[in-house]
Amino acid sequence: MEQALYGPEGFFVSGAGPAAHFRTSVHASPVFAACVLRQLEAVDVALGHPDRLDVVDVGAGRGELLQVLLVQAAPDLAARLHPVAVERAARPSGLPPEIDWRADIPDGITGLLLATEWLDNVPVDVAVPTPAGWRLLLVDPATGQETVGPAPSLTDATWLTHWWPLPPALPPTPALAPVIKEFASAEGPDRDTNSLITEAEDGFVGGVRGEIGSERDSAWAEAVGRIRRGLALAVDYGHLRDSRPLGGTLAGYRDGRQVPPVPDGSCDVTAHVAMDSVASAGERVARCAYSLVSQREALRALGAEGGRPPLSLASRDAAGYLRALAAASAAAELTDPAGLGGHLWLRQPVGVALDAVVAR
């Protein structure tokens, strides 16, 4: 997945960029940017209007969101904004010079760190339960053919045990706890984890998969740790511990269509995010309470309404009615719980009170 997305010929590094292949909230409508701007304004107030207000977009695509924010921001705010796009692709031509472009997240952020549909593209390993316990799923990058491989590492096995529990209806499988205990007490640091688990029988148990989120937890914790004061905001398709999707969510997208997730670099390979695990990792760094709500709830609190404007407006102001209708249509798409509205918003404040940065 790492090579398919970020290698020399990877999906996000070469080509026209994500907007050419799939529709995100950023690309769907300027209504989303307007709501992000209101969130940024709340952060600015909570920080006391600093002379420089950072807004760091991680997984910035081609910088589309930052460009809209610069245009929409009021003159006083725009003059203090320091927009930074974090992306592994080369800087696109024509990007406004005000936007910094870099491959890594800067230190000492004072402001807003934003990650819209970034974490779902932080690479994951997939595991399947077998009669011998969890085993990694291997994939041929040319054909997409899958086979059962070795046991996960101790870190990943522990993550699966805590964050991706097996449903009780599955056929019995040996508990991982004795395996982890044996590994932890084994003499010698070079002992192979695989020697602790016998060879699994061919096939998967119950068609269940687990998408191991430990790398995403680490990536988010590192991002939160780059903030001096402000807010980290992650927006992504996600799920919670009590409702993990049994068959997993791994998928591929190319040219606006869903395709098999073959990791050959020709398509986006993505999986939904265990948002509660990510939030827990960020909380350990930020040491502040966090908020986790649906995009529908978050955007409505930030002023995005999906209701149709009154017909009486059409008779008084036809052009205004059409503008309001278009805005309502865009807001409806962004808040549709069966689509983009199903995203989760994770707000992780650092050095400021949660109440100060959450619209009510």
Side-chain angles (χ1 to χ4, degrees), residues 214-240:
S214 51
E215 290 297 323
R216 291 173 171 180
D217 292 354
S218 296
W220 182 245
E222 180 181 354
V224 172
R226 300 296 179 94
I227 300 174
R228 179 183 294 118
R229 289 184 69 229
L231 176 69
L233 171 61
V235 181
D236 231 313
Y237 286 114
H239 42 68
L240 305 178

Side-chain angles (χ1 to χ4, degrees), residues 322-335:
L322 291 176
R323 287 193 299 271
L325 188 63
S329 176
E333 179 184 6
L334 290 169
T335 58

Side-chain angles (χ1 to χ4, degrees), residues 20-360:
H21 296 275
F22 50 84
R23 187 174 176 83
T24 70
S25 296
V26 173
H27 308 130
S29 167
V31 170
F32 182 81
C35 290
V36 172
L37 180 59
R38 293 187 191 105
Q39 179 65 81
L40 179 62
E41 290 168 345
V43 172
D44 185 40
V45 171
L47 294 174
H49 307 290
D51 293 338
R52 188 178 98 169
L53 183 66
D54 299 316
V55 54
V56 180
D57 188 5
V58 184
R62 297 301 182 261
E64 296 92 342
L65 178 58
L66 291 177
Q67 294 184 66
V68 177
L69 291 179
L70 281 174
V71 172
Q72 291 187 352
D76 172 68
L77 181 60
R80 293 183 290 112
L81 275 186
H82 176 225
V84 180
V86 178
E87 186 59 75
R88 296 203 201 181
R91 182 186 182 96
S93 61
L95 193 72
E98 298 92 336
I99 298 176
D100 284 348
W101 188 270
R102 52 188 296 160
D104 55 352
I105 301 173
D107 279 320
I109 297 167
T110 299
L112 175 66
L113 180 142
L114 178 65
T116 58
E117 297 193 49
W118 168 53
L119 289 170
D120 68 297
N121 288 123
V122 173
V124 295
D125 280 329
V126 177
V128 292
T130 75
W134 285 106
R135 304 299 290 266
L136 294 176
L137 191 64
L138 306 181
V139 59
D140 185 323
T143 66
Q145 182 178 356
E146 296 173 339
T147 55
V148 177
S153 68
L154 173 61
T155 298
D156 289 346
T158 303
W159 189 94
L160 284 164
T161 300
H162 183 71
W163 289 110
W164 203 292
L166 293 174
L170 280 177
T173 26
L176 280 175
V179 174
I180 295 172
K181 181 178 179 181
E182 181 182 352
F183 180 88
S185 62
E187 293 183 2
D190 297 326
R191 185 175 179 188
D192 183 4
T193 311
N194 300 336
S195 68
L196 304 177
I197 300 180
T198 59
E199 287 298 316
E201 297 175 6
D202 290 337
F204 312 155
V205 177
V208 175
R209 298 182 178 210
E211 293 157 354
I212 303 170
S214 51
E215 290 297 323
R216 291 173 171 180
D217 292 354
S218 296
W220 182 245
E222 180 181 354
V224 172
R226 300 296 179 94
I227 300 174
R228 179 183 294 118
R229 289 184 69 229
L231 176 69
L233 171 61
V235 181
D236 231 313
Y237 286 114
H239 42 68
L240 305 178
R241 187 178 186 274
D242 293 337
S243 57
R244 302 286 187 228
L246 289 181
T249 62
L250 193 70
Y253 293 92
R254 181 174 56 241
D255 297 330
R257 298 188 301 273
Q258 187 167 346
V259 298
V262 179
D264 60 2
S266 69
C267 66
D268 176 27
V269 179
T270 177
H272 295 188
V273 181
M275 293 293 280
D276 45 357
S277 174
V278 166
S280 179
E283 185 180 32
R284 289 193 293 271
V285 176
R287 300 183 182 277
C288 292
Y290 63 82
S291 167
L292 185 59
V293 300
S294 70
Q295 173 155 296
R296 180 183 181 88
E297 181 179 347
L299 292 187
R300 287 191 167 180
L302 289 166
E305 296 293 340
R308 187 185 183 97
L311 285 173
S312 57
L313 177 62
S315 60
R316 303 192 313 270
D317 180 3
Y321 175 78
L322 291 176
R323 287 193 299 271
L325 188 63
S329 176
E333 179 184 6
L334 290 169
T335 58
D336 180 2
L340 294 173
H343 277 146
L344 292 174
W345 276 46
L346 169 61
R347 291 183 177 97
Q348 204 115 45
V350 179
V352 293
L354 179 63
D355 289 349
V357 293
V358 174
R360 297 187 183 278

